[in-house]
Every structure is written in structure tokens, then in C-alpha cells.
Amino acid sequence: MTLPENFDFTQSNLQDYLDCPYRFYLRYIRHTQWPALIVDDALAFEQRGQTGARFHRLIQQYLLGLPEERLADQAAADPSPEVFSWWQDFLQYAPPLLEGARHVETVLSAGLNGHRLVAKYDLVLVRPDGGLTIFDWKTSQKRPKQERLLERVQTRLYRFLLVLSGGMLNGAEAIRPEQIEMNYWFTSQPELPINLPYTADQYQKDQTFFKKLVDEIAALPGEAFTRTGDLSKCRYCVYRSHCDRGVEAGDLEMFDDFLPETEENPDDLDFDQIEEIAF
Amino acid sequence: MALTSEQSRLLDHPSTRKIALVGPAGTGKTTAGTLWLKKLLESGIPANQILLFIPQRTLAKPYEDSLWDDLALSQGLVSIVTLGGLARRMLDLFWPAISSQTGVAQPDRPPQFLTLETAQYFMAHVVRPLIEEKNYFESLTINRNRIFSQILDNLNKAAFVGFPIEEIAPRLKAAWVGDVEQMHIYDDVQASALAFRSFCLEHNLLDFSLQVEIFIKYLWPLPACRSYLTQSYRHLIVDNIEEDTPVAHDVLREWLPDFDSAVVIADREAGYRFFLGADTQSAMTVVDACDETLLFEKNLVSSKDIQGLQNGFRRAVASLMGETPLQQSLPGADATRAIVTPRENPRYFPAMVNWASAEIRRLIDQGTPAGEIVVLAPFMSDVLRYTLSRKLDEYGIPHHSHRPSRALRDEPAAQTLLTFATVAFPEWGLLPQRINFAFALMQAIDPFDLVRAQLLSRYVYDERAEGFPLKPFEEVPAEVRDRITYRAGERYEQLRSWLAATLPEDDQTLDFFLNRLFGEVLSQPGFGFHNDLENANTVATLIESIQKFRWVIGDQLNHDDFSTGKEYVQMVADGVIAAQYIQPWQDAPKDSVFLAPAYTFLMRNQAVDVQFWLDIGSPAWYQRLDQPLTQPYVLSRRWKAGEVWTTEDELRAANATLLRLSLGLLNRCRQKVYLGMSEMDVSGYENRGLLLRIIQQVLLETKRGIR
Ligand code: SF4
């Protein structure tokens, strides 16, 4: 077992492993930060990320019931004009979808074969009809195809984990896969969210998939975390110079097509990770 | 696991009670806390309704570990918070609801949270003109950066103790007897603190003190925030409450009635974070607000002899303070058996280190696991840590150290990147000395040595250049090129042409510039960072520090002739920005000797079989830091208005500090304490401080049969 003590499996580290075992090894076992750029236009990339984070915060504040006019003021004063127009779209299209008990920024976890799976949800809605909808707000510029979303570790893990542990949100009632759907809401097409219902069959497949995956990772000796053979995975990987897989960072314009799992810092699971300043 | 009777009594309570657990360290209170947590989870309470409130993140570890023992209980995560983290989080969430009351100039914009570094930077920005133009702090000879950090310290104390920042100087002055010049210094502190606060409000900047102050003043009383917290968290566990601050205690005391259950754990004879605002007396107000208190008295850790030693310490300090010790004697305890000292104290500290290392080897040979040994000193200086590590390496003994934060400018990898930045932006006027450039080349090109790097620099680098200072390799005379090798020359050329292509505007995003320099050149095959995973982390930390600086500073001081990159580099050189390098991740090897400052060990709250206390003659075991701009006792909530701070107070404080520290260490020691000192300490001083005298007295008393 080469994994660090108390290691949590999350969508982003599992996706990293699937993309490239060596990347997983460097990032989570060796804890190597490799300070190269992910994309060529780093400033635009940073601004996109920060704009997205501010928009997420607004939604979160809305869901917590903060006065709408104050939020509108914040959206209007945002340095990026996109935020205000996203905000208006959100107010136009999202509220009808949000009827029910809201669990905002909820973290669920579950033990699986002696390992722990963890996921942080933007919103889990327990609907009046007893169903549960997982919402994920996406500010990426392109809206991916449904098939791609279905393959994503995020989609698979979030729905799977909600079956395992969602009772916590549901008065301890067991949850059946059919009660669950995942809703990706895109700022780029606010009127067309992608809704992905879950099924018992898919749940079985996910269970087999995740069990095998975490067991495999946990059993792997350090040297067996090999580099991916798929060079396209290296294009947006910071370790590319260490692996001798290219010099320049990937093209920002193509980034959304590539759809890596880095958006919105999914590893930020802890309420209190903020560096404490001793005085 | 066999439970103690106190632990069983706790678990017999229903999860609707608020119970305080009070007693010295080592009596099983934290274990009881972890068992209570499991009990809550087993009874079906969702993990996300449980709040673990602690003064410092390291103290959460036993709780996190306990959740891993039974993953079936894991359906969500217990929230772990400190007051600072809670304040920050609530500010993030509820800012729009209160921003217009806070006094910030742009309430419709989110605030910018300052790190310690960026707060220090803005403090320098505000106070430097006061020093230079208005002669503030004229009579002080300390380094300016210490002035800035002590003013911040005062602001933080005001926030954590809970008094208005306008009262900093009045409080300090009222307690001062002596030199009138000190009164002027306090006035300057006050004016600087107020100027800094105005600057922050004007620019939507929240330093740590303002985060806490706004949380306490506006968010905590806000019904939306309070009901969010009350609805989210139904069960509370607080550990080491004695190490927390008065405002944290105020919040917990008010919050307590809203919880369905609470366990509040307080260590007696502790309060090690006093200098960070910890207040043991206000902690007891939360204990008193619980339904019931369970006393944990039975020491589960220390041998009888160690407990005898503790009694000896209590007696010795009490007699120093002219008090009568309350502690009962302990039959059968022999403090001398708990202590090991060298036959005679060596003159110099390396011999002390040799002695300690040899004893560690002997212990391990005799079967003590390495993980059951710690080596402690009041401060673990670089030289002490290095000497110890080398010696332990020689013996093949696994060890790890608490690596204190280090200034990045002292790390060769970070220096290399900053050197190339100053070369790429000659307009900054900060070109490095030739030797530093050569050193950077040696780091950058692989393989390359300093002799050839110096030779190359002599021909290609012009440290007095007005423009770009690097010449092409082909301008180096042919015979010199041969010595340097063409391979190295080729690498140099790659680096030079990359640096030459720098655009002047790149200095506004120095972090990205260095990201590219690292990714496109320095970590490519043939360059020094290609396979250097350790140094990559150092560079990443540097770049992150620049990025945080840019995010905050770039927005605030954005005018045409201002270069963010140059400002950063200069501030690092001046030490205003320490660019502290704290290893981002530490997975302490399980079975290895731990080398640490005494307080760091205490705040890990883990017991070991054997402790080595080094440099026991040093006054650093009990003396407070020399801080002419602040005073932790006077700015605490314990201080009574109108009193003055005297030398007797100072002495009493030193005794109390020493007693707290030594009892805390002994409470976390099972079998033996090895005491090391040299006649000349690590800094070359001859010291025979209070700790040494107390130990001598304890030994003497023990020999006389006093237990
Ligand atoms: S560069 Fe390619 S091979 Fe190397 S870690 Fe990244 S994805 Fe894996």
C-alpha cells in the first residue's frame, strides 16, 4: 500500500488516475507540485476560474436565502460583466428547478472495501416528490455532449455516493438509484440543463467499477504507476516537462473540449482548510 | 479497548447532554471525545451535523483517525473548525448581508482576504511613510519588519481578546512604568494600527484581525448566519478549549444552548498558546455553562516516577513564587529514576548532541521504538536540527523534524528563479551580482558546476548593463567554450534566448512568467529541475506567494509606473515578505524520532515513552520574546485596568510559563526524560537558566526523600 495515511478518493483524484497513473502518483503519493502552466493563456484561464468561483458563491448565497437585491448589487458590481448576465439567466431559469429541501455544498462519504470515497456537491435537492437531484453549476464556455458527461467520474461518483450515503439528507431513509438524477446547469445554455437520471443497473456497474478501481490503486506498488500511453492526456498536464511530453502548455480555447476535472477546485472539501494565521 | 471509569461515565450519558471533561493532559479526555463522536455516529446522527471546534488544526488528528477505524460510520464528514476558519467561512457566505455596515469602501464587492504576508506588506506600505516622514518609532533600533509584525500582533490581540483597536495604546501605556520614550512608541503603534485599519477599509481588505472583528460584531449576531449555523450543527465537540481565545469562548458560550449535545474538553495546567491569545480562565466559563462536569484525574500516561517529577516541579516553582504547593506527595515515586543526565555537561553543544544521539541509539538497540522518542528544545534552530539529523543519519536512525517555516529567499531553488527574473527585467535595476548569476546557472543547467558556471558568467553576463545583460554563447572565446562544453553552452543558449524574448508587460504577472520559465526551460530535459521533485515544490511555493501577492496588490496599487513583479522581488529582498516556506504536506513517518520545538510537540498532543530536552540552561524555555511594541499579558482579558506591569510580574509570568510547559511535556511522557545541556549553548552563550535550577532543586529534594 503506497497511499498516504487517511487518503480520500475523490472524483478528481480518481479521474487523474484514469487519465494517467503516474500523474496520480506524482500528485497524491509524492505530493509533487509541478509549477508549470496548464494552458497557454494563463491570465484568461485564471480569470475564468475566478469569475466562475464568484458566480458559484452568488448561487450559494441565493440558496442560503440572502436578500436577492443585495445579490443583484453584487452581481452588477462584479468586475466581469458575464457574472451579471449569468445571474439574470440563473434567476430566470433555475428557481423553478429548485423546489424542495436544499442541501448546499454538502459533503458525503462512504467506506468502500476499506477505503473512503468523498464527494462535495454544489447542491442536493430533496424534491417534494421524494426524488433527489444533484445540481452542478458549470461556467465552462462549451456545453459537452450528454454521453461524455455520463462517462465522467464526477457523474458516476456523485450519483453512486448519493445512493450509499444520501440517507443522511433524507431522514435516514434508504435511497434507490431511481430516485436520483444529476442536473448539469450551464451558463452557456441556461435554458438547456442536462439531466442524467440514475438506474439500478448503472448503480451496479458503478459499484463494480469503483470497487475495482480503488482496490487496484491501493494495491499498486509505487513503480507500477506508469505514464499514460495516450499523449493527448499530457496536453493539459502540468508534469509534461518532467515526463518529456512537450514544452508548451495546451491551448486555452480547446480546454473545454478536453474537459478535465479541475474545475471549481473539487478537492476543497474541508470547511476549515483556510490557512490559519497564527499571531 | 478497556475504558476508564470516567470514559464509561461519559458514554453512559444520553446524546442530549452538555458535558465538560476537565483534567490534566494524559487522563484520557481526548480518547473519551473520540468515543463520544463514535457514539453519536452510531446512534444515527449524521456526521455533517457534528462540529469539532479546536484552537489549532493539528489537534483534530485523533478524531480524524478514529473515524477511519470504522468506515461504516462514514456517511459524511464531521466539520472541523477553528474560530479563524469559521469567521472566514461565514464572511465568504454572508458578506452581502452585512458588507454595508462594515465600513468598507465598496460594499458591493467581495472583500479580499489578506494572508500574513500580504497584511505585512500593506502594513509596511502604510507605516513606512510614517517612519520616514514623521519619525515614528525613532528611538527603536529593531528591524522594521518586526515593527510591522508587532503592530499586526496588537490588532490580532484586540480582535481575539475583544477590545476596540483604539484601546491598544491606552492599555499598554497605563501598564507601563519607566522610560517616557516608550509612551511615544505606544502612541506610534496606535496611530499606525489605525492608519492600517483605515487603509484596509478603504480598499476592501480584510486582515486576520478584521475578519474576526467583523465576524464577532456583525455576523455572529446576524439571524441568517446564526440560524445557518444552528441548523447545520446540532452536536458540538470542543477539545483543548484552554488553548483558545476569549472571543472563541464567548461565541461557544452563547452557542452552547442551541446544540442538542456538547462535549467540552479542557486541560488543566495548560494554556500553552497564551502568547497567541489563549485564555484558560475564560475557557472555564464555557465549562461552567455545561450541564455537568466530569473530572478526569487518573494519569494514564506517565509512570509513577514521572509523576513524582511533576510534583517536584510544582513544589519547586511554588517555592520560587513564595507559595505553598497544594500537591500531595506520591508514595513510591522517585523523580531521579525518571531523569537521565550525562555524567558531566560538555562545554560545547555538538557534544551534547553526540550524547543525545548515542543515548537514542542505545534506547533503540534496547527495543524502544524510534517513534516513541522525541527530541525537544525551546527553539529548534537550523544548526541544532542539522547537527542532530546528521548524527542520527550516521547511526541509521529514522527521524523527522518539524520543519519550521523558512524564508524562500534562503532556498537555492527559489533564488535561482528570482535571479533569472531580475535578469529578464533589467529595467527593474535589480541585476544580480555575477556570483549569484553563476550560482543560478549552476542550478539551472544539468550537469554544471560552479567553476564552469562562473567562467561562463564572466564572458556572457554584464552586471552593469543598461539593457538585457546576457550575450550569446558564440561570443565566448572558442577555448573557453571548449572548457564549458558545447552541451552546457547549448542549454545556456536555450535559456538566454527564452529570457531575451521576455516582454516588458510580463512583469505584471511574474508568477506566470516563472511558471513558463520553469515549464518551458528549467524543467525540460537537460536542465536542473527536470527530475528534481523536491525543488519543484519550493518553486511552486514561491510562485504561489507571488500569485497571492499579485491578486491583492495588483488590484490595489494599480498605476502605470507600478511593477508588481519588481515590488515583490524587492519586498522579498527587504524581508517584508518572508515568503515563508512551510512544507505543504507532512506525513510523519510512523516509526521515527521526532525533532521539534517543545511547543510544537505539545500542540500535537501525543504522548511518547522518552523525551530528550536539550539546551535546558537556556532562558528561552520561559522568557517571552522581546517585543517592545506589544505585551501579551497587558493586552489579555486577565489584565485589570489601572495596574502596572512590574519586574515581579515578569518573574511570576516566567515561572508560570515554565511550570505550564514542563508539566505539559511530562504529562505526555511515559517513562524517562533525558536532559541535555552544554556549558555554552547553541548560540555560544553560557546559560544557567531557571529550568536548570528547578531541576537541580527537584533532584536535591528527591535525594532528601521528599516525593
Ligand atoms: S505528462 Fe502525461 S505522462 Fe506525465 S504525468 Fe502528465 S499525463 Fe502522465
Side-chain angles (χ1 to χ4, degrees):
Chain A
M1 160 82 87
T2 36
L3 288 176
E5 196 187 356
N6 297 358
F7 184 79
D8 284 328
F9 285 102
T10 65
Q11 57 131 341
S12 59
N13 61 38
L14 289 170
Q15 188 69 51
D16 270 332
Y17 178 78
L18 292 171
D19 283 349
C20 173
Y22 189 56
R23 187 198 295 164
F24 180 97
Y25 172 77
L26 289 174
R27 192 165 281 164
Y28 307 105
I29 297 177
R30 288 295 308 256
H31 299 275
T32 301
Q33 302 177 67
W34 198 255
L37 293 179
I38 297 176
V39 295
D40 50 1
D41 191 345
L43 192 58
F45 182 62
E46 176 184 280
Q47 280 164 356
R48 271 191 204 178
Q50 291 177 339
T51 307
R54 290 196 301 275
F55 181 64
H56 266 80
R57 179 56 27 86
L58 273 177
I59 298 181
Q60 204 181 348
Q61 290 167 336
Y62 170 87
L63 295 170
L64 291 176
L66 264 66
E68 247 181 72
E69 63 281 11
R70 291 295 298 129
L71 300 181
D73 292 343
Q74 302 271 317
D78 195 276
S80 165
E82 281 172 313
V83 168
F84 189 60
S85 80
W86 291 346
W87 182 242
Q88 288 176 314
D89 289 341
F90 176 83
L91 290 181
Q92 184 179 350
Y93 295 105
L97 309 174
L98 301 175
E99 287 292 311
R102 298 166 183 176
H103 298 272
V104 186
E105 303 273 313
T106 289
V107 180
L108 293 182
S109 66
L112 189 70
N113 283 11
H115 310 290
R116 192 162 78 174
L117 297 173
V118 178
K120 181 180 179 184
Y121 298 79
D122 283 349
L123 170 67
V124 177
L125 188 75
V126 183
R127 302 190 310 266
D129 65 4
L132 290 93
T133 310
I134 301 163
F135 280 91
D136 205 70
W137 321 111
K138 293 286 180 212
T139 54
S140 44
Q141 299 195 330
K142 289 178 195 156
R143 181 173 173 272
K145 291 209 169 68
Q146 179 157 330
E147 304 77 71
R148 288 205 64 190
L149 285 174
L150 277 169
E151 287 164 12
R152 290 183 65 166
V153 175
Q154 184 186 10
T155 309
R156 299 186 71 171
L157 182 66
Y158 279 29
R159 296 186 306 182
F160 174 66
L161 209 48
L162 190 57
V163 175
L164 289 186
S165 297
M168 216 177 72
L169 313 174
N170 197 24
E173 295 234 349
I175 292 173
R176 284 171 294 105
E178 290 78 7
Q179 286 174 270
I180 293 175
E181 60 186 31
M182 178 141 186
N183 191 310
Y184 285 100
W185 188 88
F186 293 89
T187 49
S188 56
Q189 276 179 290
E191 70 287 8
L192 276 181
I194 295 180
N195 202 32
L196 307 173
Y198 207 29
T199 61
D201 182 41
Q202 186 58 41
Y203 171 75
Q204 285 305 329
K205 284 184 188 147
D206 287 341
Q207 186 169 48
T208 313
F209 171 74
F210 285 118
K211 273 187 179 165
K212 188 168 162 281
L213 189 59
V214 295
D215 281 349
E216 176 183 313
I217 299 174
L220 224 50
E223 63 282 3
F225 287 84
T226 50
R227 294 170 200 212
T228 177
D230 176 356
L231 296 191
S232 74
K233 300 284 189 246
C234 307
R235 211 177 320 144
Y236 295 98
C237 175
V238 287
Y239 301 106
R240 85 187 78 80
S241 53
H242 169 66
C243 297
D244 202 7
R245 296 267 172 106
V247 175
E248 272 150 31
D251 179 358
L252 174 62
E253 291 317 309
M254 309 290 286
F255 185 73
D256 280 350
D257 292 341
F258 183 75
L259 207 70
E261 298 282 332
T262 50
E263 202 181 358
E264 271 76 80
N265 195 11
D267 267 344
D268 181 21
L269 293 169
D270 194 336
F271 193 94
D272 197 41
Q273 277 294 307
I274 307 131
E275 179 193 351
E276 207 198 344
I277 303 164
F279 75 96
Chain B
M1 189 179 102
L3 302 187
T4 65
S5 56
E6 290 92 344
Q7 289 166 345
S8 303
R9 272 180 63 203
L10 171 69
L11 297 181
D12 287 343
H13 284 77
S15 50
T16 49
R17 297 282 288 170
K18 287 149 194 168
I19 307 151
L21 316 183
V22 179
T27 51
K29 299 187 302 303
T30 294
T31 304
T34 62
L35 295 169
W36 179 260
L37 171 61
K38 278 194 178 174
K39 173 185 153 120
L40 294 179
L41 293 170
E42 277 162 359
S43 72
I45 290 165
N48 63 359
Q49 289 185 7
I50 302 172
L51 183 70
L52 173 62
F53 196 106
I54 40 169
Q56 185 176 305
R57 201 65 180 71
T58 50
L59 295 166
K61 187 145 191 323
Y63 294 88
E64 288 170 330
D65 288 349
S66 78
L67 291 177
W68 277 84
D69 296 344
D70 188 356
L71 282 176
L73 295 176
S74 165
Q75 290 215 325
L77 300 187
V78 172
S79 289
I80 300 168
V81 295
T82 60
L83 181 73
L86 183 68
R88 166 74 192 264
R89 172 79 173 159
M90 293 304 108
L91 273 164
D92 234 3
L93 285 180
F94 291 97
W95 176 252
I98 50 113
S99 56
S100 53
Q101 302 165 51
T102 59
V104 296
Q106 295 174 295
D108 289 340
R109 290 263 176 119
Q112 282 189 299
F113 297 100
L114 297 185
T115 61
L116 192 56
E117 272 184 8
T118 47
Q120 175 100 352
Y121 171 77
F122 281 120
M123 183 61 84
H125 181 79
V126 170
V127 176
R128 201 185 296 119
L130 299 176
I131 295 176
E132 286 165 7
E133 291 156 26
K134 297 197 172 167
N135 300 328
Y136 274 36
F137 305 111
E138 205 175 14
S139 58
L140 272 185
T141 48
I142 63 168
N143 178 310
R144 274 189 191 181
N145 299 323
R146 292 191 55 214
I147 295 183
F148 307 145
S149 63
Q150 286 179 45
I151 302 170
L152 283 173
D153 192 60
N154 280 323
L155 284 164
N156 291 338
K157 290 237 158 57
F160 273 130
V161 173
F163 62 85
I165 62 165
E166 290 76 10
E167 283 184 20
I168 293 171
R171 283 173 182 240
L172 291 169
K173 283 164 76 176
W176 174 253
V177 271
D179 193 353
V180 69
E181 195 44 53
Q182 185 64 39
M183 298 287 198
H184 298 316
I185 292 174
Y186 289 145
D187 285 334
D188 293 350
V189 167
Q190 183 67 66
S192 304
L194 292 173
F196 175 75
R197 176 58 58 88
S198 305
F199 183 89
C200 287
L201 290 172
E202 209 175 299
H203 294 87
N204 274 47
L205 303 173
L206 304 188
D207 70 315
F208 197 46
S209 70
L210 198 47
Q211 292 171 31
V212 172
E213 195 182 306
I214 293 178
F215 171 71
I216 297 292
K217 253 190 185 162
Y218 304 110
L219 284 170
W220 180 239
L222 183 78
C225 175
R226 189 72 76 89
S227 78
Y228 169 77
L229 288 172
T230 311
Q231 280 168 22
S232 302
Y233 305 111
R234 304 300 318 144
H235 301 269
L236 172 71
I237 299 175
V238 189
D239 205 342
N240 290 102
I241 193 168
E242 78 290 345
E243 303 300 336
D244 225 323
T245 57
V247 292
H249 299 145
D250 295 344
V251 166
L252 287 169
R253 206 174 42 248
E254 281 179 38
W255 198 351
L256 201 61
D258 296 335
F259 286 102
D260 295 338
S261 82
V263 163
V264 175
I265 301 177
D267 271 12
R268 266 205 322 256
E269 295 180 316
Y272 316 117
R273 285 167 42 106
F274 174 76
F275 297 101
L276 301 175
D279 189 322
T280 51
Q281 287 189 43
S282 73
M284 291 315 285
T285 63
V286 187
V287 167
D288 292 342
C290 291
D291 301 330
E292 183 180 344
T293 298
L294 297 182
L295 292 179
F296 281 56
E297 298 289 2
K298 189 167 182 295
N299 190 311
L300 306 174
V301 171
S302 312
S303 66
K304 207 168 221 184
D305 294 336
I306 292 275
Q307 292 179 48
L309 185 57
Q310 289 181 320
N311 283 348
F313 266 86
R314 287 190 188 97
R315 270 195 306 272
V317 174
S319 82
L320 272 174
M321 306 220 270
E323 294 165 3
T324 319
L326 297 171
Q327 200 66 30
Q328 300 290 314
S329 68
L330 195 66
D334 182 350
T336 55
R337 285 195 305 240
I339 288 179
V340 182
T341 53
R343 234 171 251 132
E344 64 186 56
N345 289 325
R347 181 141 181 79
Y348 298 106
F349 93 91
M352 169 185 76
V353 169
N354 289 348
W355 168 78
S357 311
E359 290 298 324
I360 292 171
R361 180 161 75 162
R362 198 200 327 260
L363 283 164
I364 291 176
D365 287 347
Q366 290 168 355
T368 305
E372 286 296 335
I373 301 172
V374 293
V375 184
L376 307 169
F379 292 111
M380 189 58 74
S381 64
D382 277 357
V383 57
L384 179 58
R385 190 176 56 242
Y386 178 76
T387 323
L388 259 167
S389 306
R390 288 234 355 226
K391 203 68 204 168
L392 294 175
D393 283 343
E394 241 173 64
Y395 291 146
I397 296 172
H399 59 89
H400 66 286
S401 62
H402 157 74
R403 191 186 158 106
S405 53
R406 284 165 60 97
L408 272 173
R409 61 182 170 162
D410 298 333
E411 298 282 339
Q415 266 170 4
T416 299
L417 279 267
L418 292 176
T419 299
F420 289 139
T422 53
V423 167
F425 301 102
E427 60 276 18
W428 291 353
L430 300 173
L431 286 180
Q433 291 178 350
R434 179 169 294 138
I435 181 66
N436 291 340
F437 179 70
F439 190 76
L441 278 182
M442 182 186 78
Q443 296 276 324
I445 295 171
D446 182 39
F448 213 31
D449 54 59
L450 192 57
V451 176
R452 286 185 300 151
Q454 279 183 290
L455 188 62
L456 177 60
S457 319
R458 199 180 311 153
Y459 288 95
V460 297
Y461 176 59
D462 176 5
E463 60 189 302
R464 291 201 193 81
E466 292 286 314
F468 187 61
L470 298 182
K471 295 190 197 109
F473 188 57
E474 62 193 30
E475 290 187 24
V476 177
E479 67 281 8
V480 180
R481 288 204 298 250
D482 285 345
R483 280 177 62 196
I484 288 165
T485 76
Y486 279 82
R487 218 179 115 81
E490 207 180 296
R491 304 280 180 247
Y492 164 73
E493 243 337 272
Q494 246 175 293
L495 174 64
R496 187 195 71 81
S497 40
W498 195 95
L499 292 172
T502 304
L503 301 170
E505 59 268 28
D506 285 339
D507 80 340
Q508 296 304 344
T509 47
L510 181 64
D511 46 340
F512 295 149
F513 171 82
L514 295 180
N515 281 133
R516 283 197 293 118
L517 174 60
F518 178 87
E520 294 173 19
V521 187
L522 301 179
S523 62
Q524 290 291 330
F527 288 90
F529 291 87
H530 182 56
N531 279 320
D532 192 342
L533 302 183
E534 297 307 322
N535 273 329
N537 279 335
T538 311
V539 175
T541 311
L542 170 75
I543 293 178
E544 198 187 315
S545 159
I546 300 173
Q547 187 180 50
K548 286 184 179 156
F549 183 79
R550 172 172 61 81
W551 284 347
V552 182
I553 278 75
D555 271 6
Q556 304 303 332
L557 308 175
N558 212 348
H559 47 82
D560 288 348
D561 54 351
F562 183 80
S563 154
T564 315
K566 179 182 177 185
E567 185 75 356
Y568 180 87
V569 173
Q570 269 181 325
M571 292 298 110
V572 169
D574 290 352
V576 173
I577 296 176
Q580 297 285 302
Y581 176 62
I582 304 170
Q583 275 190 329
W585 170 87
Q586 275 180 324
D587 207 2
K590 276 239 153 29
D591 196 19
S592 87
V593 177
F594 182 38
L595 321 177
Y599 283 105
T600 304
F601 171 70
L602 280 178
M603 293 317 289
R604 289 204 172 183
N605 205 10
Q606 281 164 4
V608 291
D609 286 350
V610 180
Q611 295 178 359
F612 283 75
W613 299 3
L614 300 188
D615 237 352
I616 56 165
S618 165
W621 285 95
Y622 50 88
Q623 253 174 15
R624 67 190 173 93
L625 296 172
D626 174 33
Q627 292 181 311
L629 274 61
T630 184
Q631 220 286 19
Y633 293 93
V634 171
L635 296 184
S636 79
R637 208 178 264 187
R638 295 304 115 223
W639 189 250
K640 292 197 182 73
E643 290 190 345
V644 290
W645 180 258
T646 62
T647 35
E648 288 82 65
D649 291 323
E650 193 71 58
L651 195 63
R652 205 170 309 121
N655 285 332
T657 304
L658 185 56
L659 184 63
R660 245 192 333 254
L661 175 60
S662 45
L663 293 182
L665 294 177
L666 294 173
N667 273 327
R668 290 162 179 83
C669 181
R670 292 193 191 92
Q671 290 162 13
K672 281 209 185 328
V673 183
Y674 285 66
L675 301 170
M677 73 167 280
S678 48
E679 287 171 21
M680 311 282 274
D681 70 10
V682 178
S683 318
Y685 294 110
E686 259 184 88
N687 278 315
R688 305 186 65 74
L690 203 52
L691 175 59
L692 182 62
R693 279 186 280 144
I694 288 174
I695 289 168
Q696 283 166 342
Q697 190 178 335
V698 173
L699 292 178
L700 203 70
E701 280 195 350
T702 312
K703 280 197 186 119
R704 285 200 208 120
I706 304 168
R707 302 280 186 249

